[in-house]
Structure formats: C-alpha cells, structure tokens
Amino acid sequence: NAGVTQTPKFQVLKTGQSMTLQCAQDMNHNSMYWYRQDPGMGLRLIYYSASEGTTDKGEVPNGYNVSRLNKREFSLRLESAAPSQTSVYFCASNKNYGYTFGSGTRLTVV
Amino acid sequence: DQQVKQNSPSLSVQEGRISILNCDYTNSMFDYFLWYKKYPAEGPTFLISISSIKDKNEDGRFTVFLNKSAKHLSLHIVPSQPGDSAVYFCAAAKETSGSRLTFGEGTQLTVNP
C-alpha cells in the first residue's frame, strides 16, 4: 500500500552514539518532514524538505541533521545522541496540507 | 511560544453523546486549520480541515467550526463511538510558509461504552 515507511520502529542508544532514522514515501510527494512527539508538547517540526535537494530547519533542529537523498527518501541523523532526544519521531510527506505520516520510531537514549 | 494550544489534555464522554474538542491559536496569519487523529503506536491521520474563508466544515459525524475573531476552532463528533477514542491534534498553517503545519499539544479523547 502507498504510504510512508519509517525504520527502525524502536531503538535504544547510549549517550554519544549516532544513528540515522530512515524514511521513504511512494506517493511522489515533493515535501517531506521530520517531527518529534513528546508528552504535553504535541508534534514539533525538526527539519523539512520542500523538494528534492532542499532542506530547512524547523522549530527544534539542534542536535539533528537531515539528508534528502532523492524524491522518495528523507533521513534524520543524530550525530551524538543525548537523553533529551528520547522521543517518538515521525516522518511525513504531503501534497498540499494533507500529510501522510509514518508509524513512528520510538527512540530511547540512556 | 506555543502558537496552537489545546488546553484540555483529556476528555471523556459517553458513547452516543457529543464530543467537543477545542483549539486556540495566537498567530493571525494562520489561514488553514486541520484536525488529525492518532491511535497508539500509529502515525497521525488526517481527519478534517477548514479554510479561513469558511466558518464550518462537515464530514459525516465530524464538524469543525472556526471563529476567526476569537482565534478558536473546535471539532464536534456526533454521535461519539468507542472507536473514536484517540489523541486528537489541532494543526494550523499559513500560506506564506508553504504547507508547514504547527501542531497543538493534543487531546486524549476517551469514549466510554
């Protein structure tokens, strides 16, 4: 089925470790997004990519980097994980305002 | 600065009754508003939206009302069903920022049988 696929679904990291969260969409959308969800804070935008080859910072970009590898894929990298990055991460793509979200990556940094 | 606020973290209603979820925003530049629904261990899914040129939009059991002067919108679910139990996020966008959405904190709706 068409949609947004995120991997991995779960991850535990030690402080200082690095990892990349992968995201791919097969709906031919131009725009893709990375959000984090924390209790009581809703969904906050980390980075977004309005089109292939472009990326921009969102509301909470510190500690993260992104790569828009091609139109389908948008990855999020944590270079040196911190406990404050413990969260659920969602990737999304959209055409106009109708976002399609992936099922999320639950990341714990210990 | 929380530009979109959902002041009720939770709401509990009886099956068959009306559920009313509220959302306030501070940025008068927002011109498009949406509601998303989220079940545990899943990503949010789009529910209903409204443009700032309207004050009401209806889709089956779901109706969104927009009061621009009060910078307030609400989602009405009638009748509520147990399957509606989920977290509901309000979101807003402004045309000048493309289609980036600003989300509220979410409201956990529980519909009791």
Side-chain angles (χ1 to χ4, degrees):
Chain A
N1 292 335
V4 177
T5 303
Q6 287 183 238
T7 56
K9 291 190 183 301
F10 301 94
Q11 183 72 50
V12 178
L13 289 179
K14 293 183 178 179
T15 298
Q17 286 186 316
S18 62
M19 79 162 294
T20 299
L21 281 65
Q22 307 286 353
C23 175
Q25 54 95 4
D26 58 6
M27 296 169 287
N28 203 35
H29 289 162
N30 286 322
S31 300
M32 297 186 73
Y33 307 81
W34 277 104
Y35 282 87
R36 59 180 287 175
Q37 184 195 2
D38 301 291
M41 303 190 78
L43 292 154
R44 293 182 293 167
L45 182 63
I46 305 170
Y47 270 93
Y48 67 100
S49 171
S51 63
E52 184 179 354
T54 68
T55 61
D56 284 287
K57 295 178 180 179
E59 185 183 352
V60 288
N62 292 343
Y64 306 95
N65 285 301
V66 290
S67 295
R68 184 74 183 266
L69 304 170
N70 47 55
K71 192 170 187 179
R72 290 188 63 249
E73 298 172 288
F74 187 38
S75 63
L76 178 72
R77 182 160 179 83
L78 288 70
E79 290 290 351
S80 178
S84 61
Q85 294 178 304
T86 294
S87 187
V88 181
Y89 292 85
F90 290 100
C91 176
S93 70
N94 80 306
K95 182 177 181 180
N96 299 321
Y97 297 107
Y99 280 35
T100 300
F101 283 87
S103 58
T105 296
R106 183 173 292 275
L107 175 67
T108 302
V109 183
V110 297
Chain B
D1 177 29
Q2 189 72 20
Q3 298 186 65
V4 178
K5 285 195 67 63
Q6 296 175 253
N7 290 314
S8 297
S10 63
L11 174 67
S12 182
V13 300
Q14 286 300 118
E15 182 178 4
R17 306 295 291 269
I18 185 171
S19 295
I20 300 176
L21 294 93
N22 293 304
C23 177
D24 296 295
Y25 61 96
T26 57
N27 191 333
S28 58
M29 297 296 290
F30 287 140
D31 51 17
Y32 200 77
F33 304 89
L34 308 91
W35 286 93
Y36 282 79
K37 175 179 179 180
K38 184 184 178 303
Y39 292 117
E42 295 183 9
T45 56
F46 170 74
L47 187 58
I48 192 169
S49 63
I50 187 167
S51 165
S52 60
I53 62 173
K54 295 185 174 182
D55 55 17
K56 177 183 175 181
N57 189 26
E58 196 170 351
D59 183 1
R61 297 185 297 113
F62 303 91
T63 303
V64 56
F65 295 91
L66 176 62
N67 182 333
K68 288 192 295 280
S69 61
K71 294 190 180 68
H72 177 83
L73 65 156
S74 60
L75 174 68
H76 293 209
I77 306 173
V78 183
S80 301
Q81 300 173 353
D84 296 329
S85 297
V87 176
Y88 289 78
F89 290 101
C90 170
K94 44 188 174 180
E95 189 178 4
T96 53
S97 67
S99 52
R100 275 183 293 159
L101 296 180
T102 299
F103 287 85
E105 304 93 326
T107 296
Q108 171 69 57
L109 173 66
T110 301
V111 180
N112 301 303

PDB file of all heavy atoms in Angstrom, chain A residues 14-45:
ATOM      1  N   LYS A  14      22.958   4.594  23.478  1.00  0.00           N
ATOM      2  CA  LYS A  14      23.672   5.153  24.622  1.00  0.00           C
ATOM      3  C   LYS A  14      24.029   6.603  24.307  1.00  0.00           C
ATOM      4  O   LYS A  14      24.216   6.974  23.139  1.00  0.00           O
ATOM      5  CB  LYS A  14      24.934   4.346  24.895  1.00  0.00           C
ATOM      6  CG  LYS A  14      24.645   2.927  25.379  1.00  0.00           C
ATOM      7  CD  LYS A  14      25.935   2.197  25.711  1.00  0.00           C
ATOM      8  CE  LYS A  14      25.631   0.807  26.232  1.00  0.00           C
ATOM      9  NZ  LYS A  14      26.870   0.045  26.544  1.00  0.00           N
ATOM     10  N   THR A  15      24.138   7.406  25.320  1.00  0.00           N
ATOM     11  CA  THR A  15      24.524   8.803  25.135  1.00  0.00           C
ATOM     12  C   THR A  15      25.831   8.876  24.349  1.00  0.00           C
ATOM     13  O   THR A  15      26.798   8.167  24.646  1.00  0.00           O
ATOM     14  CB  THR A  15      24.690   9.491  26.495  1.00  0.00           C
ATOM     15  OG1 THR A  15      23.425   9.473  27.166  1.00  0.00           O
ATOM     16  CG2 THR A  15      25.153  10.922  26.329  1.00  0.00           C
ATOM     17  N   GLY A  16      25.812   9.723  23.317  1.00  0.00           N
ATOM     18  CA  GLY A  16      27.002   9.891  22.496  1.00  0.00           C
ATOM     19  C   GLY A  16      27.023   9.044  21.235  1.00  0.00           C
ATOM     20  O   GLY A  16      27.791   9.335  20.308  1.00  0.00           O
ATOM     21  N   GLN A  17      26.191   8.025  21.161  1.00  0.00           N
ATOM     22  CA  GLN A  17      26.137   7.204  19.957  1.00  0.00           C
ATOM     23  C   GLN A  17      25.418   7.962  18.843  1.00  0.00           C
ATOM     24  O   GLN A  17      24.676   8.918  19.090  1.00  0.00           O
ATOM     25  CB  GLN A  17      25.415   5.878  20.225  1.00  0.00           C
ATOM     26  CG  GLN A  17      26.230   4.886  21.027  1.00  0.00           C
ATOM     27  CD  GLN A  17      25.529   3.545  21.148  1.00  0.00           C
ATOM     28  OE1 GLN A  17      24.325   3.467  21.401  1.00  0.00           O
ATOM     29  NE2 GLN A  17      26.293   2.468  20.989  1.00  0.00           N
ATOM     30  N   SER A  18      25.641   7.504  17.637  1.00  0.00           N
ATOM     31  CA  SER A  18      24.980   8.121  16.490  1.00  0.00           C
ATOM     32  C   SER A  18      24.070   7.107  15.807  1.00  0.00           C
ATOM     33  O   SER A  18      24.240   5.893  15.972  1.00  0.00           O
ATOM     34  CB  SER A  18      26.012   8.638  15.485  1.00  0.00           C
ATOM     35  OG  SER A  18      26.774   7.564  14.982  1.00  0.00           O
ATOM     36  N   MET A  19      23.096   7.629  15.091  1.00  0.00           N
ATOM     37  CA  MET A  19      22.232   6.755  14.305  1.00  0.00           C
ATOM     38  C   MET A  19      21.478   7.576  13.277  1.00  0.00           C
ATOM     39  O   MET A  19      21.378   8.804  13.393  1.00  0.00           O
ATOM     40  CB  MET A  19      21.241   5.990  15.178  1.00  0.00           C
ATOM     41  CG  MET A  19      20.037   6.781  15.626  1.00  0.00           C
ATOM     42  SD  MET A  19      18.683   5.733  16.198  1.00  0.00           S
ATOM     43  CE  MET A  19      18.200   4.893  14.696  1.00  0.00           C
ATOM     44  N   THR A  20      20.960   6.882  12.278  1.00  0.00           N
ATOM     45  CA  THR A  20      20.170   7.515  11.234  1.00  0.00           C
ATOM     46  C   THR A  20      18.801   6.866  11.179  1.00  0.00           C
ATOM     47  O   THR A  20      18.695   5.637  11.128  1.00  0.00           O
ATOM     48  CB  THR A  20      20.851   7.380   9.866  1.00  0.00           C
ATOM     49  OG1 THR A  20      22.132   8.023   9.913  1.00  0.00           O
ATOM     50  CG2 THR A  20      20.005   8.034   8.775  1.00  0.00           C
ATOM     51  N   LEU A  21      17.773   7.703  11.214  1.00  0.00           N
ATOM     52  CA  LEU A  21      16.412   7.236  11.025  1.00  0.00           C
ATOM     53  C   LEU A  21      16.069   7.382   9.549  1.00  0.00           C
ATOM     54  O   LEU A  21      16.281   8.431   8.946  1.00  0.00           O
ATOM     55  CB  LEU A  21      15.431   8.064  11.860  1.00  0.00           C
ATOM     56  CG  LEU A  21      15.313   7.765  13.361  1.00  0.00           C
ATOM     57  CD1 LEU A  21      16.617   8.086  14.066  1.00  0.00           C
ATOM     58  CD2 LEU A  21      14.178   8.558  13.979  1.00  0.00           C
ATOM     59  N   GLN A  22      15.527   6.309   8.995  1.00  0.00           N
ATOM     60  CA  GLN A  22      15.231   6.287   7.572  1.00  0.00           C
ATOM     61  C   GLN A  22      13.754   6.503   7.321  1.00  0.00           C
ATOM     62  O   GLN A  22      12.902   6.086   8.100  1.00  0.00           O
ATOM     63  CB  GLN A  22      15.642   4.935   6.968  1.00  0.00           C
ATOM     64  CG  GLN A  22      17.067   4.502   7.244  1.00  0.00           C
ATOM     65  CD  GLN A  22      18.076   5.302   6.425  1.00  0.00           C
ATOM     66  OE1 GLN A  22      17.711   6.092   5.567  1.00  0.00           O
ATOM     67  NE2 GLN A  22      19.354   5.088   6.718  1.00  0.00           N
ATOM     68  N   CYS A  23      13.463   7.177   6.209  1.00  0.00           N
ATOM     69  CA  CYS A  23      12.075   7.428   5.825  1.00  0.00           C
ATOM     70  C   CYS A  23      11.969   7.391   4.313  1.00  0.00           C
ATOM     71  O   CYS A  23      12.807   7.984   3.620  1.00  0.00           O
ATOM     72  CB  CYS A  23      11.610   8.785   6.342  1.00  0.00           C
ATOM     73  SG  CYS A  23       9.951   9.256   5.800  1.00  0.00           S
ATOM     74  N   ALA A  24      10.952   6.728   3.811  1.00  0.00           N
ATOM     75  CA  ALA A  24      10.705   6.674   2.372  1.00  0.00           C
ATOM     76  C   ALA A  24       9.207   6.771   2.107  1.00  0.00           C
ATOM     77  O   ALA A  24       8.401   6.200   2.845  1.00  0.00           O
ATOM     78  CB  ALA A  24      11.264   5.387   1.781  1.00  0.00           C
ATOM     79  N   GLN A  25       8.848   7.486   1.038  1.00  0.00           N
ATOM     80  CA  GLN A  25       7.446   7.596   0.637  1.00  0.00           C
ATOM     81  C   GLN A  25       7.322   7.241  -0.839  1.00  0.00           C
ATOM     82  O   GLN A  25       8.232   7.505  -1.630  1.00  0.00           O
ATOM     83  CB  GLN A  25       6.904   9.011   0.929  1.00  0.00           C
ATOM     84  CG  GLN A  25       7.716  10.149   0.344  1.00  0.00           C
ATOM     85  CD  GLN A  25       7.237  10.657  -1.004  1.00  0.00           C
ATOM     86  OE1 GLN A  25       6.218  10.219  -1.537  1.00  0.00           O
ATOM     87  NE2 GLN A  25       7.984  11.608  -1.570  1.00  0.00           N
ATOM     88  N   ASP A  26       6.174   6.662  -1.166  1.00  0.00           N
ATOM     89  CA  ASP A  26       5.966   6.227  -2.544  1.00  0.00           C
ATOM     90  C   ASP A  26       4.770   6.918  -3.177  1.00  0.00           C
ATOM     91  O   ASP A  26       4.121   6.360  -4.069  1.00  0.00           O
ATOM     92  CB  ASP A  26       5.819   4.703  -2.600  1.00  0.00           C
ATOM     93  CG  ASP A  26       4.685   4.194  -1.739  1.00  0.00           C
ATOM     94  OD1 ASP A  26       3.937   5.019  -1.176  1.00  0.00           O
ATOM     95  OD2 ASP A  26       4.542   2.964  -1.608  1.00  0.00           O
ATOM     96  N   MET A  27       4.475   8.121  -2.720  1.00  0.00           N
ATOM     97  CA  MET A  27       3.330   8.864  -3.235  1.00  0.00           C
ATOM     98  C   MET A  27       3.749   9.994  -4.166  1.00  0.00           C
ATOM     99  O   MET A  27       2.920  10.817  -4.565  1.00  0.00           O
ATOM    100  CB  MET A  27       2.519   9.415  -2.048  1.00  0.00           C
ATOM    101  CG  MET A  27       1.918   8.305  -1.201  1.00  0.00           C
ATOM    102  SD  MET A  27       1.234   8.879   0.346  1.00  0.00           S
ATOM    103  CE  MET A  27       2.731   9.211   1.241  1.00  0.00           C
ATOM    104  N   ASN A  28       5.029  10.052  -4.482  1.00  0.00           N
ATOM    105  CA  ASN A  28       5.551  11.077  -5.384  1.00  0.00           C
ATOM    106  C   ASN A  28       5.341  12.502  -4.837  1.00  0.00           C
ATOM    107  O   ASN A  28       5.170  13.450  -5.606  1.00  0.00           O
ATOM    108  CB  ASN A  28       4.916  10.957  -6.780  1.00  0.00           C
ATOM    109  CG  ASN A  28       5.791  11.591  -7.851  1.00  0.00           C
ATOM    110  OD1 ASN A  28       7.017  11.547  -7.786  1.00  0.00           O
ATOM    111  ND2 ASN A  28       5.162  12.194  -8.841  1.00  0.00           N
ATOM    112  N   HIS A  29       5.351  12.620  -3.506  1.00  0.00           N
ATOM    113  CA  HIS A  29       5.200  13.938  -2.898  1.00  0.00           C
ATOM    114  C   HIS A  29       6.519  14.701  -2.954  1.00  0.00           C
ATOM    115  O   HIS A  29       7.596  14.119  -2.804  1.00  0.00           O
ATOM    116  CB  HIS A  29       4.764  13.809  -1.439  1.00  0.00           C
ATOM    117  CG  HIS A  29       3.357  13.348  -1.289  1.00  0.00           C
ATOM    118  ND1 HIS A  29       2.878  12.819  -0.106  1.00  0.00           N
ATOM    119  CD2 HIS A  29       2.311  13.349  -2.153  1.00  0.00           C
ATOM    120  CE1 HIS A  29       1.600  12.527  -0.252  1.00  0.00           C
ATOM    121  NE2 HIS A  29       1.235  12.823  -1.490  1.00  0.00           N
ATOM    122  N   ASN A  30       6.412  16.011  -3.119  1.00  0.00           N
ATOM    123  CA  ASN A  30       7.625  16.826  -3.117  1.00  0.00           C
ATOM    124  C   ASN A  30       8.133  17.101  -1.707  1.00  0.00           C
ATOM    125  O   ASN A  30       9.329  17.110  -1.456  1.00  0.00           O
ATOM    126  CB  ASN A  30       7.361  18.173  -3.805  1.00  0.00           C
ATOM    127  CG  ASN A  30       7.267  18.026  -5.317  1.00  0.00           C
ATOM    128  OD1 ASN A  30       8.001  17.238  -5.916  1.00  0.00           O
ATOM    129  ND2 ASN A  30       6.383  18.777  -5.927  1.00  0.00           N
ATOM    130  N   SER A  31       7.211  17.353  -0.783  1.00  0.00           N
ATOM    131  CA  SER A  31       7.600  17.795   0.555  1.00  0.00           C
ATOM    132  C   SER A  31       7.641  16.641   1.546  1.00  0.00           C
ATOM    133  O   SER A  31       6.770  15.777   1.544  1.00  0.00           O
ATOM    134  CB  SER A  31       6.611  18.854   1.071  1.00  0.00           C
ATOM    135  OG  SER A  31       6.600  19.969   0.215  1.00  0.00           O
ATOM    136  N   MET A  32       8.666  16.676   2.400  1.00  0.00           N
ATOM    137  CA  MET A  32       8.798  15.680   3.453  1.00  0.00           C
ATOM    138  C   MET A  32       9.226  16.370   4.738  1.00  0.00           C
ATOM    139  O   MET A  32       9.848  17.442   4.716  1.00  0.00           O
ATOM    140  CB  MET A  32       9.808  14.595   3.061  1.00  0.00           C
ATOM    141  CG  MET A  32       9.372  13.807   1.825  1.00  0.00           C
ATOM    142  SD  MET A  32      10.450  12.422   1.426  1.00  0.00           S
ATOM    143  CE  MET A  32      10.035  11.248   2.737  1.00  0.00           C
ATOM    144  N   TYR A  33       8.900  15.732   5.881  1.00  0.00           N
ATOM    145  CA  TYR A  33       9.067  16.371   7.185  1.00  0.00           C
ATOM    146  C   TYR A  33       9.532  15.356   8.225  1.00  0.00           C
ATOM    147  O   TYR A  33       9.202  14.182   8.137  1.00  0.00           O
ATOM    148  CB  TYR A  33       7.727  16.951   7.668  1.00  0.00           C
ATOM    149  CG  TYR A  33       7.047  17.859   6.671  1.00  0.00           C
ATOM    150  CD1 TYR A  33       6.303  17.333   5.619  1.00  0.00           C
ATOM    151  CD2 TYR A  33       7.155  19.242   6.774  1.00  0.00           C
ATOM    152  CE1 TYR A  33       5.685  18.155   4.691  1.00  0.00           C
ATOM    153  CE2 TYR A  33       6.540  20.077   5.858  1.00  0.00           C
ATOM    154  CZ  TYR A  33       5.809  19.528   4.819  1.00  0.00           C
ATOM    155  OH  TYR A  33       5.195  20.355   3.905  1.00  0.00           O
ATOM    156  N   TRP A  34      10.243  15.859   9.220  1.00  0.00           N
ATOM    157  CA  TRP A  34      10.531  15.093  10.413  1.00  0.00           C
ATOM    158  C   TRP A  34       9.994  15.841  11.623  1.00  0.00           C
ATOM    159  O   TRP A  34      10.296  17.028  11.832  1.00  0.00           O
ATOM    160  CB  TRP A  34      12.028  14.858  10.601  1.00  0.00           C
ATOM    161  CG  TRP A  34      12.555  13.702   9.829  1.00  0.00           C
ATOM    162  CD1 TRP A  34      13.287  13.736   8.687  1.00  0.00           C
ATOM    163  CD2 TRP A  34      12.402  12.323  10.152  1.00  0.00           C
ATOM    164  NE1 TRP A  34      13.585  12.466   8.266  1.00  0.00           N
ATOM    165  CE2 TRP A  34      13.056  11.573   9.165  1.00  0.00           C
ATOM    166  CE3 TRP A  34      11.766  11.641  11.198  1.00  0.00           C
ATOM    167  CZ2 TRP A  34      13.098  10.181   9.172  1.00  0.00           C
ATOM    168  CZ3 TRP A  34      11.807  10.263  11.205  1.00  0.00           C
ATOM    169  CH2 TRP A  34      12.468   9.540  10.202  1.00  0.00           C
ATOM    170  N   TYR A  35       9.163  15.140  12.424  1.00  0.00           N
ATOM    171  CA  TYR A  35       8.601  15.682  13.653  1.00  0.00           C
ATOM    172  C   TYR A  35       9.019  14.797  14.818  1.00  0.00           C
ATOM    173  O   TYR A  35       9.277  13.609  14.652  1.00  0.00           O
ATOM    174  CB  TYR A  35       7.069  15.677  13.601  1.00  0.00           C
ATOM    175  CG  TYR A  35       6.443  16.781  12.776  1.00  0.00           C
ATOM    176  CD1 TYR A  35       6.243  16.622  11.411  1.00  0.00           C
ATOM    177  CD2 TYR A  35       6.042  17.972  13.365  1.00  0.00           C
ATOM    178  CE1 TYR A  35       5.649  17.627  10.660  1.00  0.00           C
ATOM    179  CE2 TYR A  35       5.451  18.984  12.618  1.00  0.00           C
ATOM    180  CZ  TYR A  35       5.264  18.797  11.270  1.00  0.00           C
ATOM    181  OH  TYR A  35       4.675  19.799  10.523  1.00  0.00           O
ATOM    182  N   ARG A  36       9.025  15.396  15.981  1.00  0.00           N
ATOM    183  CA  ARG A  36       9.151  14.618  17.199  1.00  0.00           C
ATOM    184  C   ARG A  36       7.931  14.872  18.074  1.00  0.00           C
ATOM    185  O   ARG A  36       7.380  15.974  18.087  1.00  0.00           O
ATOM    186  CB  ARG A  36      10.436  14.907  17.969  1.00  0.00           C
ATOM    187  CG  ARG A  36      10.647  16.329  18.414  1.00  0.00           C
ATOM    188  CD  ARG A  36      11.965  16.484  19.184  1.00  0.00           C
ATOM    189  NE  ARG A  36      11.879  15.879  20.532  1.00  0.00           N
ATOM    190  CZ  ARG A  36      12.910  15.785  21.373  1.00  0.00           C
ATOM    191  NH1 ARG A  36      14.097  16.248  21.013  1.00  0.00           N
ATOM    192  NH2 ARG A  36      12.762  15.237  22.565  1.00  0.00           N
ATOM    193  N   GLN A  37       7.505  13.819  18.767  1.00  0.00           N
ATOM    194  CA  GLN A  37       6.351  13.930  19.647  1.00  0.00           C
ATOM    195  C   GLN A  37       6.777  13.644  21.068  1.00  0.00           C
ATOM    196  O   GLN A  37       7.313  12.566  21.355  1.00  0.00           O
ATOM    197  CB  GLN A  37       5.235  12.954  19.259  1.00  0.00           C
ATOM    198  CG  GLN A  37       3.987  13.147  20.112  1.00  0.00           C
ATOM    199  CD  GLN A  37       3.005  11.997  20.023  1.00  0.00           C
ATOM    200  OE1 GLN A  37       3.242  10.995  19.351  1.00  0.00           O
ATOM    201  NE2 GLN A  37       1.882  12.140  20.695  1.00  0.00           N
ATOM    202  N   ASP A  38       6.531  14.598  21.957  1.00  0.00           N
ATOM    203  CA  ASP A  38       6.836  14.456  23.357  1.00  0.00           C
ATOM    204  C   ASP A  38       5.576  14.729  24.167  1.00  0.00           C
ATOM    205  O   ASP A  38       4.740  15.535  23.768  1.00  0.00           O
ATOM    206  CB  ASP A  38       7.936  15.440  23.760  1.00  0.00           C
ATOM    207  CG  ASP A  38       9.206  15.226  22.956  1.00  0.00           C
ATOM    208  OD1 ASP A  38       9.837  14.179  23.164  1.00  0.00           O
ATOM    209  OD2 ASP A  38       9.540  16.073  22.106  1.00  0.00           O
ATOM    210  N   PRO A  39       5.430  14.069  25.303  1.00  0.00           N
ATOM    211  CA  PRO A  39       4.222  14.239  26.123  1.00  0.00           C
ATOM    212  C   PRO A  39       3.974  15.709  26.447  1.00  0.00           C
ATOM    213  O   PRO A  39       4.873  16.425  26.886  1.00  0.00           O
ATOM    214  CB  PRO A  39       4.553  13.429  27.382  1.00  0.00           C
ATOM    215  CG  PRO A  39       5.539  12.412  26.930  1.00  0.00           C
ATOM    216  CD  PRO A  39       6.377  13.101  25.891  1.00  0.00           C
ATOM    217  N   GLY A  40       2.741  16.140  26.223  1.00  0.00           N
ATOM    218  CA  GLY A  40       2.364  17.511  26.565  1.00  0.00           C
ATOM    219  C   GLY A  40       2.883  18.571  25.622  1.00  0.00           C
ATOM    220  O   GLY A  40       2.649  19.763  25.843  1.00  0.00           O
ATOM    221  N   MET A  41       3.587  18.155  24.555  1.00  0.00           N
ATOM    222  CA  MET A  41       4.178  19.153  23.655  1.00  0.00           C
ATOM    223  C   MET A  41       3.736  18.964  22.208  1.00  0.00           C
ATOM    224  O   MET A  41       4.180  19.692  21.327  1.00  0.00           O
ATOM    225  CB  MET A  41       5.700  19.114  23.753  1.00  0.00           C
ATOM    226  CG  MET A  41       6.189  19.328  25.173  1.00  0.00           C
ATOM    227  SD  MET A  41       7.956  19.558  25.291  1.00  0.00           S
ATOM    228  CE  MET A  41       8.072  21.254  24.760  1.00  0.00           C
ATOM    229  N   GLY A  42       2.922  17.994  21.957  1.00  0.00           N
ATOM    230  CA  GLY A  42       2.430  17.802  20.605  1.00  0.00           C
ATOM    231  C   GLY A  42       3.528  17.355  19.665  1.00  0.00           C
ATOM    232  O   GLY A  42       4.508  16.733  20.049  1.00  0.00           O
ATOM    233  N   LEU A  43       3.359  17.716  18.410  1.00  0.00           N
ATOM    234  CA  LEU A  43       4.324  17.386  17.361  1.00  0.00           C
ATOM    235  C   LEU A  43       5.112  18.639  17.023  1.00  0.00           C
ATOM    236  O   LEU A  43       4.537  19.670  16.666  1.00  0.00           O
ATOM    237  CB  LEU A  43       3.591  16.889  16.114  1.00  0.00           C
ATOM    238  CG  LEU A  43       2.889  15.553  16.250  1.00  0.00           C
ATOM    239  CD1 LEU A  43       1.736  15.451  15.272  1.00  0.00           C
ATOM    240  CD2 LEU A  43       3.870  14.427  16.000  1.00  0.00           C
ATOM    241  N   ARG A  44       6.421  18.546  17.108  1.00  0.00           N
ATOM    242  CA  ARG A  44       7.271  19.698  16.810  1.00  0.00           C
ATOM    243  C   ARG A  44       8.146  19.386  15.606  1.00  0.00           C
ATOM    244  O   ARG A  44       8.765  18.327  15.529  1.00  0.00           O
ATOM    245  CB  ARG A  44       8.114  20.062  18.037  1.00  0.00           C
ATOM    246  CG  ARG A  44       7.294  20.589  19.203  1.00  0.00           C
ATOM    247  CD  ARG A  44       8.189  20.984  20.357  1.00  0.00           C
ATOM    248  NE  ARG A  44       8.848  19.831  20.955  1.00  0.00           N
ATOM    249  CZ  ARG A  44       9.856  19.902  21.807  1.00  0.00           C
ATOM    250  NH1 ARG A  44      10.323  21.082  22.175  1.00  0.00           N
ATOM    251  NH2 ARG A  44      10.385  18.808  22.306  1.00  0.00           N
ATOM    252  N   LEU A  45       8.216  20.335  14.696  1.00  0.00           N
ATOM    253  CA  LEU A  45       8.936  20.140  13.455  1.00  0.00           C
ATOM    254  C   LEU A  45      10.435  20.253  13.677  1.00  0.00           C
ATOM    255  O   LEU A  45      10.926  21.245  14.216  1.00  0.00           O
ATOM    256  CB  LEU A  45       8.469  21.174  12.428  1.00  0.00           C
ATOM    257  CG  LEU A  45       9.087  21.107  11.041  1.00  0.00           C
ATOM    258  CD1 LEU A  45       8.744  19.790  10.347  1.00  0.00           C
ATOM    259  CD2 LEU A  45       8.620  22.282  10.198  1.00  0.00           C
TER     260      LEU A  45
END
